[in-house]
Each structure stands twice: as structure tokens, then as C-alpha cells.
Coordinates of all heavy atoms in Angstrom, one line a residue:
M1 N 0.8 -1.2 0.0 CA 0.0 0.0 0.0 C 0.9 1.2 0.0 O 1.9 1.3 0.7 CB -0.9 0.0 1.2 CG -1.9 1.1 1.2 SD -3.2 0.7 2.4 CE -4.1 2.2 2.3
A2 N 0.5 2.2 -0.8 CA 1.3 3.4 -0.9 C 1.2 4.3 0.4 O 0.2 4.3 1.1 CB 0.8 4.3 -2.0
H3 N 2.4 4.9 0.8 CA 2.4 5.7 1.9 C 2.4 7.2 1.6 O 2.6 8.0 2.5 CB 3.7 5.4 2.7 CG 3.8 4.0 3.3 ND1 3.0 3.7 4.4 CD2 4.4 2.9 2.8 CE1 3.2 2.4 4.6 NE2 4.1 1.9 3.7
R4 N 2.2 7.5 0.3 CA 2.2 8.9 -0.1 C 1.1 9.0 -1.1 O 0.8 8.1 -1.9 CB 3.5 9.3 -0.8 CG 3.6 10.7 -1.1 CD 5.0 11.1 -1.6 NE 6.0 10.9 -0.5 CZ 6.4 11.9 0.3 NH1 5.9 13.1 0.1 NH2 7.4 11.7 1.1
K5 N 0.4 10.2 -1.1 CA -0.7 10.4 -2.0 C -0.2 10.6 -3.4 O 0.9 11.0 -3.6 CB -1.5 11.6 -1.6 CG -2.4 11.4 -0.4 CD -3.2 12.7 0.0 CE -4.3 12.9 -1.0 NZ -5.2 14.0 -0.6
A6 N -1.0 10.2 -4.4 CA -0.6 10.4 -5.8 C -0.4 11.8 -6.1 O -1.2 12.7 -5.7 CB -1.6 9.7 -6.7
G7 N 0.7 12.1 -6.8 CA 1.1 13.5 -7.1 C 0.2 14.1 -8.3 O 0.0 15.3 -8.3
G8 N -0.2 13.3 -9.1 CA -1.0 13.8 -10.3 C 0.0 14.3 -11.3 O 1.2 14.3 -11.2
S9 N -0.6 14.7 -12.5 CA 0.3 15.2 -13.6 C -0.3 16.5 -14.0 O -1.4 16.6 -14.5 CB 0.3 14.2 -14.7 OG -1.0 14.0 -15.2
A10 N 0.4 17.6 -13.8 CA 0.0 18.9 -14.2 C 0.6 19.2 -15.6 O 1.8 19.0 -15.9 CB 0.5 20.0 -13.2
K11 N -0.3 19.6 -16.5 CA 0.2 19.8 -17.9 C 0.7 21.2 -18.1 O 1.4 21.5 -19.1 CB -1.0 19.6 -18.8 CG -1.5 18.2 -18.9 CD -2.6 18.0 -19.8 CE -3.1 16.5 -19.8 NZ -4.2 16.3 -20.7
S12 N 0.4 22.2 -17.3 CA 0.7 23.6 -17.6 C 1.9 24.1 -16.8 O 2.1 25.3 -16.7 CB -0.5 24.5 -17.2 OG -0.8 24.4 -15.8
L13 N 2.8 23.2 -16.4 CA 4.0 23.7 -15.6 C 5.2 23.9 -16.4 O 6.2 24.3 -16.0 CB 4.3 22.7 -14.5 CG 3.2 22.6 -13.4 CD1 3.5 21.5 -12.4 CD2 2.9 23.9 -12.8
R14 N 5.2 23.5 -17.7 CA 6.4 23.7 -18.6 C 6.3 25.0 -19.3 O 5.2 25.5 -19.6 CB 6.4 22.5 -19.6 CG 6.6 21.2 -19.0 CD 6.7 20.1 -20.1 NE 5.4 20.0 -20.8 CZ 4.3 19.3 -20.4 NH1 4.4 18.7 -19.2 NH2 3.3 19.2 -21.1
D15 N 7.4 25.6 -19.5 CA 7.5 26.9 -20.2 C 8.8 26.9 -21.1 O 9.8 26.3 -20.8 CB 7.6 28.0 -19.2 CG 7.2 29.4 -19.8 OD1 6.8 29.4 -21.0 OD2 7.4 30.4 -19.1
S16 N 8.7 27.6 -22.2 CA 9.8 27.7 -23.1 C 10.7 28.8 -22.7 O 10.3 29.8 -22.1 CB 9.4 27.9 -24.6 OG 8.7 29.1 -24.6
K17 N 12.0 28.6 -23.0 CA 13.0 29.7 -22.6 C 12.8 30.9 -23.5 O 12.3 30.8 -24.7 CB 14.4 29.2 -22.7 CG 14.9 28.7 -24.1 CD 16.3 28.2 -23.9 CE 16.8 27.5 -25.2 NZ 17.0 28.3 -26.3
P18 N 13.1 32.1 -23.0 CA 12.9 33.3 -23.8 C 13.8 33.4 -25.0 O 14.9 32.9 -25.0 CB 13.2 34.5 -22.8 CG 14.1 33.8 -21.8 CD 13.6 32.4 -21.7
K19 N 13.4 34.0 -26.1 CA 14.1 34.1 -27.3 C 14.9 35.4 -27.5 O 15.7 35.4 -28.4 CB 13.1 33.9 -28.5 CG 12.3 32.6 -28.5 CD 13.2 31.4 -28.5 CE 12.4 30.2 -28.5 NZ 12.8 29.2 -27.6
Y20 N 14.7 36.4 -26.7 CA 15.4 37.6 -26.8 C 15.4 38.3 -28.1 O 16.4 38.6 -28.7 CB 16.8 37.4 -26.3 CG 16.9 36.9 -24.9 CD1 17.3 35.5 -24.7 CD2 16.5 37.6 -23.8 CE1 17.4 35.0 -23.4 CE2 16.6 37.1 -22.5 CZ 17.0 35.8 -22.3 OH 17.0 35.3 -21.1
L21 N 14.2 38.4 -28.7 CA 14.1 39.0 -30.0 C 14.0 40.6 -29.9 O 13.8 41.1 -28.8 CB 12.8 38.5 -30.7 CG 12.7 37.0 -30.9 CD1 11.3 36.7 -31.5 CD2 13.8 36.5 -31.8
G22 N 14.2 41.3 -31.0 CA 14.0 42.7 -31.0 C 15.2 43.4 -31.6 O 16.1 42.8 -32.1
I23 N 15.2 44.7 -31.5 CA 16.2 45.6 -32.1 C 17.4 45.6 -31.1 O 17.2 46.0 -29.9 CB 15.7 47.0 -32.4 CG1 14.6 46.9 -33.5 CG2 16.8 47.9 -32.8 CD1 13.9 48.2 -33.8
K24 N 18.6 45.3 -31.5 CA 19.7 45.3 -30.7 C 20.6 46.5 -30.8 O 21.3 46.8 -29.8 CB 20.6 44.0 -31.0 CG 19.8 42.7 -31.0 CD 19.3 42.4 -29.6 CE 18.5 41.1 -29.6 NZ 17.8 40.9 -28.3
R25 N 20.6 47.2 -31.9 CA 21.3 48.4 -32.1 C 20.4 49.5 -32.6 O 19.7 49.3 -33.6 CB 22.5 48.3 -33.1 CG 23.6 47.3 -32.6 CD 24.4 48.0 -31.5 NE 25.4 47.1 -31.0 CZ 25.2 46.3 -30.0 NH1 24.1 46.3 -29.3 NH2 26.2 45.5 -29.5
G26 N 20.2 50.6 -31.9 CA 19.3 51.6 -32.2 C 19.7 52.5 -33.3 O 20.9 52.4 -33.8
N27 N 18.8 53.4 -33.7 CA 19.1 54.4 -34.8 C 20.2 55.3 -34.4 O 20.2 55.9 -33.4 CB 17.8 55.1 -35.1 CG 17.8 55.8 -36.5 OD1 18.7 55.5 -37.3 ND2 16.9 56.6 -36.7
G28 N 21.2 55.4 -35.3 CA 22.4 56.3 -35.0 C 23.5 55.7 -34.2 O 24.5 56.4 -34.0
S29 N 23.4 54.4 -33.8 CA 24.5 53.8 -33.0 C 25.6 53.3 -34.0 O 25.3 52.8 -35.1 CB 23.9 52.7 -32.1 OG 23.4 51.7 -32.9
A30 N 26.8 53.3 -33.5 CA 27.9 52.8 -34.3 C 28.0 51.3 -34.2 O 27.8 50.8 -33.1 CB 29.2 53.5 -33.8
V31 N 28.2 50.7 -35.3 CA 28.4 49.2 -35.3 C 29.6 48.8 -36.1 O 30.2 49.5 -36.9 CB 27.1 48.5 -36.0 CG1 25.9 48.7 -35.2 CG2 26.9 49.0 -37.4
R32 N 30.1 47.6 -35.8 CA 31.2 47.0 -36.4 C 30.8 45.8 -37.3 O 29.6 45.4 -37.2 CB 32.3 46.6 -35.4 CG 32.8 47.8 -34.6 CD 33.8 47.4 -33.5 NE 35.0 46.8 -34.1 CZ 35.9 46.2 -33.5 NH1 35.8 46.1 -32.2 NH2 37.0 45.8 -34.1
T33 N 31.6 45.3 -38.1 CA 31.3 44.2 -39.0 C 30.8 43.0 -38.3 O 31.5 42.6 -37.3 CB 32.5 43.9 -39.9 OG1 32.9 45.1 -40.6 CG2 32.1 42.8 -40.9
G34 N 29.7 42.5 -38.6 CA 29.2 41.3 -38.0 C 28.3 41.5 -36.8 O 27.7 40.5 -36.3
E35 N 28.1 42.7 -36.4 CA 27.3 43.0 -35.2 C 25.8 42.8 -35.6 O 25.4 43.2 -36.6 CB 27.5 44.4 -34.7 CG 28.5 44.5 -33.6 CD 28.6 45.8 -32.9 OE1 27.5 46.3 -32.4 OE2 29.6 46.4 -32.9
I36 N 25.1 42.2 -34.6 CA 23.6 42.0 -34.9 C 22.9 43.2 -34.6 O 23.0 43.9 -33.6 CB 23.1 40.8 -33.9 CG1 23.8 39.5 -34.3 CG2 21.6 40.7 -34.0 CD1 23.5 38.4 -33.4
L37 N 22.0 43.6 -35.6 CA 21.2 44.8 -35.5 C 19.8 44.4 -35.0 O 19.3 45.1 -34.1 CB 21.1 45.4 -36.9 CG 22.4 45.7 -37.6 CD1 22.1 46.3 -39.0 CD2 23.3 46.6 -36.8
V38 N 19.2 43.4 -35.6 CA 17.8 43.0 -35.2 C 17.7 41.5 -35.2 O 18.2 40.8 -36.1 CB 16.8 43.6 -36.3 CG1 15.4 43.2 -35.9 CG2 16.9 45.0 -36.4
R39 N 17.1 40.9 -34.2 CA 16.7 39.5 -34.1 C 15.2 39.5 -34.3 O 14.4 40.2 -33.6 CB 17.1 38.9 -32.8 CG 18.5 38.5 -32.7 CD 18.7 37.3 -31.8 NE 20.1 36.9 -31.7 CZ 20.6 36.0 -32.5 NH1 19.9 35.4 -33.5 NH2 21.9 35.7 -32.4
Q40 N 14.7 38.7 -35.2 CA 13.3 38.7 -35.6 C 12.8 37.4 -36.1 O 13.6 36.6 -36.5 CB 13.0 39.8 -36.6 CG 13.8 39.7 -37.9 CD 13.7 40.9 -38.8 OE1 12.9 41.8 -38.5 NE2 14.5 40.9 -39.8
R41 N 11.5 37.2 -36.1 CA 10.9 36.0 -36.7 C 10.2 36.5 -38.0 O 9.2 37.2 -37.9 CB 9.9 35.4 -35.8 CG 10.5 34.8 -34.6 CD 11.2 33.5 -34.9 NE 12.0 33.0 -33.8 CZ 13.3 33.2 -33.6 NH1 14.0 33.9 -34.5 NH2 13.9 32.7 -32.6
G42 N 10.7 36.1 -39.2 CA 10.2 36.7 -40.4 C 10.9 38.0 -40.7 O 11.5 38.6 -39.8
L43 N 10.8 38.6 -41.9 CA 11.4 39.8 -42.2 C 10.5 41.0 -41.9 O 9.9 41.6 -42.8 CB 11.9 39.8 -43.7 CG 13.1 39.1 -44.0 CD1 13.4 39.1 -45.5 CD2 14.3 39.6 -43.2
K44 N 10.3 41.3 -40.6 CA 9.5 42.4 -40.2 C 10.2 43.7 -40.6 O 9.6 44.7 -41.0 CB 9.1 42.4 -38.7 CG 8.3 41.2 -38.3 CD 8.1 41.2 -36.8 CE 7.4 40.0 -36.3 NZ 6.2 39.7 -36.9
I45 N 11.5 43.7 -40.4 CA 12.4 44.8 -40.8 C 13.3 44.3 -41.9 O 13.9 43.2 -41.8 CB 13.2 45.3 -39.6 CG1 12.3 45.8 -38.5 CG2 14.2 46.4 -40.0 CD1 13.0 46.2 -37.2
L46 N 13.3 45.0 -43.0 CA 14.0 44.6 -44.2 C 15.5 45.0 -44.2 O 15.8 46.0 -43.6 CB 13.3 45.2 -45.5 CG 11.9 44.8 -45.7 CD1 11.3 45.6 -46.9 CD2 11.7 43.3 -45.9
P47 N 16.4 44.2 -44.8 CA 17.8 44.6 -44.9 C 18.0 45.7 -46.0 O 17.4 45.6 -47.1 CB 18.5 43.3 -45.3 CG 17.5 42.6 -46.0 CD 16.1 42.9 -45.4
G48 N 18.8 46.7 -45.7 CA 19.1 47.7 -46.6 C 20.6 47.6 -47.1 O 21.1 46.5 -47.2
S49 N 21.2 48.8 -47.3 CA 22.6 48.8 -47.8 C 23.5 48.4 -46.6 O 23.4 48.8 -45.5 CB 23.0 50.2 -48.3 OG 22.9 51.1 -47.2
K50 N 24.5 47.5 -47.0 CA 25.5 47.0 -46.1 C 24.9 46.2 -44.9 O 25.5 46.1 -43.8 CB 26.4 48.1 -45.5 CG 27.1 48.8 -46.7 CD 27.9 50.0 -46.1 CE 28.5 50.8 -47.2 NZ 29.0 52.1 -46.7
V51 N 23.7 45.6 -45.1 CA 23.1 44.8 -44.1 C 22.7 43.5 -44.7 O 22.2 43.4 -45.9 CB 21.8 45.4 -43.5 CG1 21.1 44.5 -42.5 CG2 22.2 46.7 -42.8
S52 N 23.0 42.3 -44.0 CA 22.6 41.0 -44.6 C 21.7 40.3 -43.6 O 21.5 40.7 -42.5 CB 23.9 40.2 -44.8 OG 23.6 39.0 -45.5
V53 N 21.1 39.2 -44.1 CA 20.2 38.4 -43.4 C 20.7 37.0 -43.0 O 21.3 36.3 -43.9 CB 18.9 38.2 -44.2 CG1 17.8 37.5 -43.4 CG2 18.4 39.6 -44.7
G54 N 20.6 36.6 -41.8 CA 21.0 35.3 -41.4 C 19.8 34.3 -41.7 O 18.7 34.7 -42.1
N55 N 20.1 33.0 -41.5 CA 19.1 32.0 -41.8 C 17.9 32.0 -40.8 O 16.9 31.3 -41.1 CB 19.7 30.6 -41.9 CG 20.5 30.2 -40.7 OD1 20.4 30.8 -39.7 ND2 21.2 29.1 -40.8
D56 N 18.0 32.7 -39.7 CA 16.9 32.8 -38.8 C 16.3 34.3 -38.9 O 15.7 34.7 -37.9 CB 17.2 32.5 -37.4 CG 18.3 33.3 -36.8 OD1 19.0 34.0 -37.6 OD2 18.5 33.3 -35.6
H57 N 16.5 34.9 -40.0 CA 16.0 36.3 -40.3 C 16.7 37.4 -39.4 O 16.2 38.5 -39.3 CB 14.5 36.4 -40.2 CG 13.8 35.4 -41.1 ND1 13.1 34.4 -40.6 CD2 13.7 35.4 -42.4 CE1 12.6 33.7 -41.6 NE2 13.0 34.3 -42.7
T58 N 17.9 37.0 -38.8 CA 18.6 38.0 -38.1 C 19.3 39.0 -39.1 O 19.9 38.6 -40.0 CB 19.7 37.3 -37.2 OG1 19.0 36.5 -36.3 CG2 20.5 38.3 -36.5
L59 N 19.2 40.3 -38.8 CA 19.9 41.3 -39.6 C 21.2 41.6 -38.9 O 21.3 41.9 -37.7 CB 19.1 42.6 -39.7 CG 17.7 42.4 -40.3 CD1 17.0 43.8 -40.5 CD2 17.8 41.7 -41.7
F60 N 22.3 41.6 -39.7 CA 23.6 42.0 -39.2 C 24.4 42.9 -40.1 O 24.1 42.9 -41.3 CB 24.4 40.7 -38.8 CG 24.7 39.8 -40.0 CD1 25.8 39.9 -40.7 CD2 23.7 38.8 -40.3 CE1 26.0 39.0 -41.8 CE2 23.9 37.9 -41.3 CZ 25.1 38.1 -42.1
A61 N 25.3 43.6 -39.6 CA 26.1 44.6 -40.4 C 27.2 43.9 -41.2 O 27.9 43.0 -40.7 CB 26.7 45.6 -39.5
M62 N 27.4 44.3 -42.5 CA 28.4 43.8 -43.3 C 29.7 44.6 -43.3 O 30.7 44.2 -43.7 CB 27.9 43.7 -44.8 CG 26.8 42.7 -44.9 SD 27.2 41.0 -44.6 CE 28.2 40.6 -46.0
Q63 N 29.6 45.9 -42.8 CA 30.7 46.8 -42.7 C 30.5 47.6 -41.5 O 29.5 47.7 -40.9 CB 30.8 47.7 -44.0 CG 31.2 47.0 -45.2 CD 31.4 48.0 -46.4 OE1 31.0 49.1 -46.3 NE2 31.9 47.5 -47.5
D64 N 31.6 48.3 -41.1 CA 31.6 49.2 -40.0 C 30.8 50.5 -40.4 O 30.8 50.8 -41.6 CB 33.0 49.7 -39.6 CG 33.8 48.6 -39.0 OD1 33.3 47.4 -38.9 OD2 35.0 48.8 -38.7
G65 N 30.1 51.1 -39.5 CA 29.3 52.3 -39.9 C 28.3 52.6 -38.8 O 28.4 52.3 -37.6
T66 N 27.3 53.4 -39.2 CA 26.2 53.9 -38.3 C 24.9 53.3 -38.8 O 24.6 53.3 -40.0 CB 26.2 55.4 -38.4 OG1 27.5 55.9 -38.1 CG2 25.2 55.9 -37.3
V67 N 24.1 52.9 -37.8 CA 22.8 52.3 -38.2 C 21.8 53.4 -38.5 O 21.7 54.4 -37.7 CB 22.3 51.4 -37.0 CG1 20.9 50.8 -37.3 CG2 23.3 50.3 -36.7
R68 N 21.0 53.2 -39.5 CA 19.9 54.1 -39.9 C 18.7 53.3 -40.2 O 18.8 52.4 -41.1 CB 20.3 55.0 -41.1 CG 21.3 56.0 -40.8 CD 20.8 57.3 -40.1 NE 21.8 58.2 -39.8 CZ 22.2 58.5 -38.6 NH1 21.6 58.0 -37.6 NH2 23.2 59.4 -38.5
F69 N 17.6 53.5 -39.5 CA 16.3 52.9 -39.9 C 15.5 53.9 -40.7 O 15.3 55.0 -40.2 CB 15.6 52.4 -38.6 CG 16.2 51.3 -37.9 CD1 17.0 51.5 -36.8 CD2 16.1 50.0 -38.3 CE1 17.6 50.4 -36.1 CE2 16.6 48.9 -37.7 CZ 17.4 49.2 -36.6
T70 N 15.1 53.5 -41.9 CA 14.3 54.3 -42.7 C 13.0 53.6 -43.1 O 12.9 52.4 -43.1 CB 15.1 54.7 -44.0 OG1 15.4 53.5 -44.7 CG2 16.3 55.5 -43.7
A71 N 12.0 54.4 -43.4 CA 10.7 53.9 -43.9 C 10.6 54.0 -45.4 O 11.1 55.0 -46.0 CB 9.6 54.7 -43.2
T72 N 10.1 53.0 -46.0 CA 10.0 53.0 -47.4 C 8.7 52.3 -47.8 O 8.1 51.6 -47.0 CB 11.2 52.2 -48.1 OG1 11.0 52.4 -49.5 CG2 11.2 50.8 -47.8
R73 N 8.2 52.5 -49.0 CA 7.0 51.9 -49.5 C 7.3 50.8 -50.4 O 8.1 50.9 -51.3 CB 6.1 53.0 -50.3 CG 5.6 54.0 -49.4 CD 4.9 55.1 -50.1 NE 3.7 54.7 -50.9 CZ 2.5 54.6 -50.4 NH1 2.3 54.9 -49.1 NH2 1.5 54.2 -51.1
K74 N 6.8 49.6 -50.1 CA 7.0 48.4 -50.9 C 5.7 47.9 -51.5 O 4.7 48.0 -50.9 CB 7.6 47.3 -50.0 CG 9.0 47.5 -49.6 CD 9.9 47.3 -50.7 CE 11.3 47.0 -50.3 NZ 12.2 46.8 -51.4
T75 N 5.8 47.4 -52.8 CA 4.7 46.9 -53.4 C 4.6 45.4 -53.2 O 5.5 44.7 -53.4 CB 4.8 47.2 -55.0 OG1 5.0 48.6 -55.2 CG2 3.5 46.7 -55.7
N76 N 3.4 45.0 -52.7 CA 3.1 43.6 -52.4 C 2.9 42.8 -53.7 O 2.8 43.4 -54.8 CB 1.9 43.5 -51.5 CG 1.9 42.3 -50.7 OD1 2.6 41.4 -50.9 ND2 0.9 42.3 -49.7
F77 N 2.9 41.5 -53.6 CA 2.7 40.7 -54.9 C 1.3 40.9 -55.4 O 1.0 40.6 -56.6 CB 3.0 39.2 -54.6 CG 2.1 38.6 -53.7 CD1 1.0 37.9 -54.1 CD2 2.3 38.6 -52.3 CE1 0.1 37.2 -53.3 CE2 1.5 38.0 -51.4 CZ 0.4 37.3 -51.9
T78 N 0.4 41.4 -54.6 CA -1.0 41.7 -55.1 C -1.1 43.0 -55.7 O -2.2 43.4 -56.2 CB -2.0 41.6 -53.9 OG1 -1.6 42.5 -52.9 CG2 -2.0 40.2 -53.3
G79 N 0.0 43.9 -55.6 CA -0.1 45.2 -56.2 C -0.3 46.3 -55.1 O -0.2 47.4 -55.4
K80 N -0.7 45.8 -53.9 CA -0.9 46.8 -52.8 C 0.4 47.3 -52.2 O 1.3 46.5 -52.1 CB -1.8 46.1 -51.7 CG -2.3 47.0 -50.6 CD -3.1 46.1 -49.7 CE -3.6 47.0 -48.6 NZ -4.5 46.3 -47.6
T81 N 0.5 48.5 -51.9 CA 1.7 49.1 -51.3 C 1.6 49.1 -49.8 O 0.5 49.4 -49.2 CB 2.0 50.5 -51.8 OG1 0.9 51.3 -51.5 CG2 2.2 50.5 -53.3
K82 N 2.7 48.9 -49.1 CA 2.8 48.9 -47.6 C 4.0 49.7 -47.2 O 5.0 49.7 -47.9 CB 2.9 47.5 -47.1 CG 1.7 46.6 -47.1 CD 2.0 45.3 -46.5 CE 1.3 45.3 -45.1 NZ 1.4 43.9 -44.5
N83 N 3.9 50.3 -46.1 CA 5.1 51.0 -45.5 C 5.9 50.0 -44.7 O 5.4 49.2 -43.9 CB 4.7 52.1 -44.5 CG 4.1 53.3 -45.3 OD1 4.4 53.5 -46.4 ND2 3.2 54.0 -44.6
R84 N 7.2 49.9 -45.0 CA 8.1 48.9 -44.4 C 9.3 49.7 -43.8 O 9.7 50.7 -44.3 CB 8.6 47.9 -45.4 CG 7.5 47.1 -46.0 CD 6.8 46.1 -45.1 NE 7.6 45.2 -44.4 CZ 7.9 44.0 -44.9 NH1 7.4 43.6 -46.1 NH2 8.7 43.2 -44.2
V85 N 9.9 49.1 -42.8 CA 11.1 49.7 -42.2 C 12.3 48.9 -42.7 O 12.3 47.7 -42.8 CB 11.0 49.5 -40.6 CG1 12.3 50.1 -40.0 CG2 9.8 50.3 -40.1
V86 N 13.3 49.7 -43.1 CA 14.5 49.2 -43.7 C 15.7 49.5 -42.8 O 15.9 50.7 -42.4 CB 14.8 49.7 -45.1 CG1 16.0 49.1 -45.7 CG2 13.6 49.4 -46.0
A87 N 16.6 48.6 -42.5 CA 17.8 48.8 -41.7 C 19.0 49.0 -42.6 O 19.2 48.2 -43.5 CB 18.1 47.7 -40.7
N88 N 19.7 50.1 -42.5 CA 20.9 50.4 -43.3 C 22.1 50.7 -42.4 O 21.9 51.1 -41.3 CB 20.6 51.7 -44.2 CG 19.4 51.6 -45.1 OD1 19.4 50.7 -45.9 ND2 18.4 52.4 -44.8
V89 N 23.3 50.5 -43.0 CA 24.5 50.9 -42.3 C 25.2 51.9 -43.2 O 25.4 51.6 -44.4 CB 25.4 49.7 -42.0 CG1 26.8 50.1 -41.5 CG2 24.7 48.7 -41.0
E90 N 25.5 53.0 -42.7 CA 26.1 54.1 -43.5 C 27.5 54.4 -43.1 O 27.9 54.1 -42.0 CB 25.3 55.4 -43.3 CG 23.8 55.3 -43.8 CD 23.0 56.5 -43.5 OE1 23.5 57.3 -42.7 OE2 21.9 56.6 -44.0

């Protein structure tokens, strides 16, 4: 006979670790080659000049310079235009 009550199984006690997404270098900050500018899921912020995309959609600097976030109008595949943010290194 058991000397301890059954513990049961709680389904909601597990949690995933944080992903630390977001903008890592702000507008006007100096960056060096390879520094991460933005961590994101999908291309919410587009790469501009001297910025490249990693395989998890991370934006990073290709050269030393200053970060500039600019707004631009992009045409969707349906023909509709949207305002998008572009990360550049100057």
C-alpha cells in the first residue's frame, strides 16, 4: 500500500525559454562588421545597404558604420503598397 498520495500530472507547468528578439542596435548607433542589428521572426524589418540576413532572419552589419532605420513603401505581390522599415548601415 502506498504511503504517499498520488502527485498527479500537471500539464501547464512547462515553459519555453525566452528568445530575446528585438532591435539590438538603435538608430544612430555605431556598429562594427558582423554585429547583430535585429533579431526577428520573419522579415518584419528589411535589410538595406551593407546589411545582410541570417538564416533565422537576423539582420547583421556587413561593414563598420552607423545604423539608420528608414521607412519605405514596398509593393506587395498583389499590387498593394505597404510602409516597411529598412535597416541600413552608412
Side-chain angles (χ1 to χ4, degrees):
M1 188 160 171
H3 294 284
R4 187 174 293 268
K5 288 179 72 172
S9 60
K11 293 181 180 178
S12 62
L13 295 179
R14 294 179 299 276
D15 196 7
S16 60
K17 61 183 172 65
K19 303 298 183 226
Y20 302 109
L21 302 176
I23 296 175
K24 306 300 179 187
R25 294 290 178 264
N27 199 13
S29 62
V31 292
R32 297 177 67 189
T33 304
E35 268 190 54
I36 293 175
L37 308 178
V38 180
R39 283 208 178 269
Q40 58 189 351
R41 294 289 171 259
L43 281 178
K44 298 179 188 301
I45 299 176
L46 300 176
S49 64
K50 301 177 189 168
V51 175
S52 187
V53 184
N55 56 9
D56 61 346
H57 303 111
T58 297
L59 301 184
F60 58 92
M62 295 296 288
Q63 288 184 353
D64 294 0
T66 307
V67 179
R68 292 278 178 244
F69 289 101
T70 58
T72 185
R73 292 172 63 87
K74 287 289 201 180
T75 305
N76 206 348
F77 66 93
T78 59
K80 187 176 180 181
T81 58
K82 285 183 106 173
N83 290 332
R84 301 293 302 269
V85 178
V86 179
N88 302 297
V89 173
E90 299 173 346

